[in-house]
Structure formats: C-alpha cells, structure tokens
Amino acid sequence: MAVVSADVLRDEPPGASGAREPDEWARPLRPWDGYFGAVWAVTVVLVFGAAEPSWPPRVAAAALVGLTLPWYLWAGRPALLGDTAAGAPGRRYVLGAVLLFLPAAVLVGETQLVTFALAPQCFTLLRLGAALRVLGVLGAVPYAGWVLVWRPPASEAGFRLLLAAATFAFAAFLGRWTIRIIGQSRERAALIAGLEAGREEIARLSAAHGALAERERMSREIHDTLAQGFTSLLMLSQAVESELDHDPPRARRHAALMTRTARENLAEARALVAGGSPADLAGGSLAEALGRLAERHSGETGAPARLTVTGTARPLPTAHEVVALRACQEALANTRKHAGDAVPVTVLLEYAPDALTLSVRGGGRGFDHRSPHEGYGLAGLRARAEEAGGRAAVHSTPGSGTTVTVRLPLNPLSGEPSRSPR
C-alpha cells in the first residue's frame, strides 16, 4: 500500500504548469482515484461471488461498500486535495468511511479488502499515531464481530486472526516507512532548492562582480587613454590660441601635434571597442611605444623626456606591456599636470631575467605621498600592477620631485608572468 501526503496531491497532470517533473510523492490525484475505484469494484465482485453467508448479508455488505464510493467523492477527495492534512475534514471522512466499513466487514469477510484502500487514506489524512490506531480498529473490530456473529470453527478463526494481524503489521510497517521516506525526501528537496537558490545567487553576484570589474577596467582604460588625450588636445589648443599672433610657426607645430594626438586618440578608441591591445603597442615593441610617449611629451611641453632601456629587450606578455605603457602614460600626465611643462622627465625601462621594471622620474615640486589626494590615476596604476602580479610605488617628497616605479615579476626561463608569491 503506497502512502502519500495530502498537501502535495494535486488534481492536474504532471507538467501542466510547465514546471519540472513533480516528485514521485507529489503525483496528481487521478491515479489514486483509479486505485481506490479498482479496490472498491473488486471488493463488490468478491462479496457477490462469496460462497457464504447467504444472500441478504452479502447484499447488505455490498450496499455498505457501495456507499463508500459516493462518500469518497463527496468528502474524501476534497480532503485529499485540500491543505487539510490532519485536519477536521480528513478526520470526518475517515470516521464516515470506518463506520461504513465495519458492519460490512463483520457481515462478509471479503469486504476486508477495502482496508487496502482505506489504509493509504488514513496515513494521508491523519497523523501517524491516529492512523495506526484506526488501522488497528479496522483489523480488530471486524474480526471480533465476525467471530461473535458467525461462530466459525477454531481453525478458521485462527487463520483469520493471523491474516488480520499480518495485514495490520504490513500496513503499519509500510505506512511508517513510506512516511519517513517522504519526510527525508522533502528535506532533501528543500536542501536542493536551497542549493539551487544559492547557486543562482552566486551566479547573479558573479555576473554583477564581472560587470563591476569590466566597468572598472574600462574606466581605467578611458582615464589612461582618451581622457589624457583630450587633456593634451585642450592644452595644445590653448597653446595654439596664445601663439597665433606672435609665433605662427610654433602654433603650426602645436596644431600638427593636435592632429597627431587626435588620430592617436581615435586609434585608442577603436582598440578599446575592439578589445585588442593598445594602439601604441600594435606592430611594435614596448620600448618603441615608450619612446613615442617620451617624444610626444617633449613635443607637447617643450621639456626633455629621455628614455633609457637596460637589459636585453624581448617580447613579454601583453598584459605586462600594457601595464608598463599605461603606467608611463599616467606618470607623464601627472608630471604635466602637477610639475609644469618645463620639468625634465627620465624614463627607465629595465629588462631583468626575473622582472620588468619601469621608473618615471620627474623633477618639480614633489608632494607628500602620505597625505590624502584626489584622483583616480595612482590608484588605478596600483590596481593594474597588482592584477598583473606586480606592484607599483610612488616616491616623492616636497621639493625633490616624484618617481613612479612599477615592477612586474617574470619567469626567468620563459619570460612569462611569475606565479610565485610576491
């Protein structure tokens, strides 16, 4: 005898709502209707086909069994469909079904087959203890009444007693076991639902974190390329405006620099959209790109910017070259912004077997690097270096200039990024 719980029975086919396949204990109620109807029909057939007792008791028993069908349709099925497990409607239905069953079971022993339909309903609509007590009544009362009414031989009475005890024991064991299985399955289903919800939340947070990281990356790229290019254009346009009247050749030179800077900014914008390497690194080495940055800085400010390369230059991972390029751009931009146009700048690029080091030193006023400062550039520079497994440092004191140093560890054999802890 299978046992289910009322709060999961539903009167609709599986998948009707488009949801996943329901759990085995949450199947629709119509198969149970067929099971109860089959038990009822077989019982009626057996009652009419019994060799004894006489026809009047058999007709009376069949009539009582027959009344259980409309009683089930009127009271039992709504109780099974509703969220009323262990509630008053369920208890009322079980009581009526038991009152119809007991007299029939006393009159004709074959009606005890109805127990196979009533037992699952008891375990469904009653609490476990109450269901076991009702099951005991369904086994004991019919047997006692049948013995008192019909006075059977001792051998037959003993056989019926063993049969009643075995039926009760089997139903009780199966009911308790099924209810425990359902309880454990519900707990696992709740756990799985919680894990699925947690997985969805992790996926949502991961997507949000990825979007935030990409937004931060794009903000760094825009700050280090387009924003600095626009700043250079603004400074050059101001210089051209002031030089048009008294120094036309210098104004034309600055106008040419504006055109070159605009083209470079356009190339950087296209590289950002395409997701490729920076335009300054396309088709050239890191040293060549830094040389062009120094040359551009000298052309825009008029102050010398000298690049020195030490060690054996070699191709490096694109991520490391991008960090070094952006660090140099940021340091030169800060020199123009804070130190002034006339301050000389020294750029040192050092290729060592185990590291790539970039240092940009500019003279000028310097500053106290321990004091709070606004701006995104230095923080973005440090973030870039850390993402590549390196570190960035800013050394400055008031009156002695500023040095920005970025060191990126490399594998001494392959030139790939070092994976050893920093």
Side-chain angles (χ1 to χ4, degrees):
M1 286 175 287
V3 183
V4 295
S5 182
D7 58 351
V8 295
L9 289 172
R10 291 294 178 266
D11 191 19
E12 59 180 14
S17 61
R20 67 175 177 85
E21 186 73 10
D23 296 310
E24 192 62 32
W25 65 86
R27 295 290 178 178
L29 188 55
R30 278 196 289 272
W32 286 100
D33 293 343
Y35 169 73
F36 299 149
V39 172
W40 172 85
V42 171
T43 303
V44 172
V45 170
L46 291 178
V47 167
F48 282 116
E52 56 183 22
S54 60
W55 273 104
R58 281 186 284 161
V59 171
L64 291 172
V65 172
L67 290 176
T68 60
L69 181 60
W71 177 244
Y72 166 75
L73 296 175
W74 184 75
R77 202 170 192 276
L80 291 170
L81 284 172
D83 296 329
T84 56
R91 293 195 297 270
R92 182 169 55 250
Y93 165 73
V94 170
L95 177 61
V98 169
L99 293 178
L100 291 173
F101 166 77
L102 292 180
V106 170
L107 293 175
V108 181
E110 283 74 7
T111 57
Q112 290 187 353
L113 185 65
V114 176
T115 305
F116 287 90
L118 292 180
Q121 297 174 0
C122 290
F123 283 109
T124 299
L125 296 173
L126 304 176
R127 300 191 183 277
L128 180 59
L132 291 175
R133 288 192 292 272
V134 171
L135 205 61
V137 171
L138 294 180
V141 172
Y143 172 77
W146 176 76
V147 169
L148 292 175
V149 171
W150 302 109
R151 305 290 181 175
S155 58
E156 185 177 356
F159 174 77
R160 290 291 183 95
L161 178 61
L162 291 176
L163 181 63
T167 302
F168 172 79
F170 174 75
F173 166 77
L174 187 60
R176 290 174 62 91
W177 179 79
T178 306
I179 287 176
R180 290 183 61 186
I181 292 296
I182 291 177
Q184 292 176 356
S185 299
R186 282 177 173 169
E187 292 176 0
R188 292 189 178 96
L191 178 60
I192 292 173
L195 291 175
E196 290 178 349
R199 184 173 59 184
E200 292 175 359
E201 180 67 10
I202 290 173
R204 184 188 67 80
L205 293 176
S206 178
H209 181 269
L212 181 61
E214 179 63 15
R215 188 181 301 117
E216 183 178 354
R217 186 190 72 82
M218 288 299 297
S219 65
R220 286 202 305 262
E221 293 292 336
I222 292 172
H223 175 274
D224 293 343
T225 57
L226 303 182
Q228 293 179 3
F230 290 137
T231 300
S232 297
L233 286 173
L234 180 60
M235 294 173 59
L236 289 171
S237 66
Q238 292 173 345
V240 169
E241 185 177 356
S242 64
E243 294 163 352
L244 280 175
D245 293 335
H246 64 278
D247 195 351
R250 187 178 178 84
R252 282 193 294 273
R253 188 165 62 252
H254 282 157
L257 279 175
M258 288 178 62
T259 303
R260 176 183 171 184
T261 302
R263 288 197 182 101
E264 291 171 349
N265 242 31
L266 180 60
E268 289 289 356
R270 287 171 175 167
L272 283 176
V273 172
S277 60
D280 283 331
L281 291 175
S285 66
L286 174 61
E288 292 171 346
L290 296 184
R292 287 191 294 270
L293 286 180
E295 180 185 354
R296 189 185 311 158
H297 179 83
S298 298
E300 293 176 358
T301 64
R306 182 166 54 92
L307 171 65
T308 301
V309 180
T310 64
T312 302
R314 61 191 187 276
L316 297 177
T318 302
H320 281 51
E321 293 188 342
V322 170
V323 172
L325 177 68
R326 299 306 188 212
C328 187
Q329 287 177 323
E330 178 63 25
L332 293 177
N334 284 339
T335 299
R336 289 194 302 268
K337 180 179 179 180
H338 300 292
D341 291 344
V343 174
V345 178
T346 300
V347 180
L348 175 63
L349 181 64
E350 179 183 358
Y351 286 90
D354 62 344
L356 174 70
T357 304
L358 171 74
S359 295
V360 181
R361 175 171 176 75
R365 299 185 298 271
F367 66 97
D368 185 0
H369 65 87
R370 295 170 298 181
S371 62
H373 58 277
E374 298 179 353
Y376 182 80
L378 294 180
L381 189 152
R382 291 190 178 96
R384 281 184 182 277
E386 291 174 358
E387 287 177 0
R391 65 177 184 272
V394 179
H395 302 282
S396 182
T397 55
S400 63
T402 302
T403 300
V404 176
T405 303
V406 175
R407 187 179 188 278
L408 304 172
L410 299 172
N411 188 310
L413 297 178
S414 64
E416 293 295 319
S418 174
R419 299 186 183 277
S420 59
R422 298 193 302 273

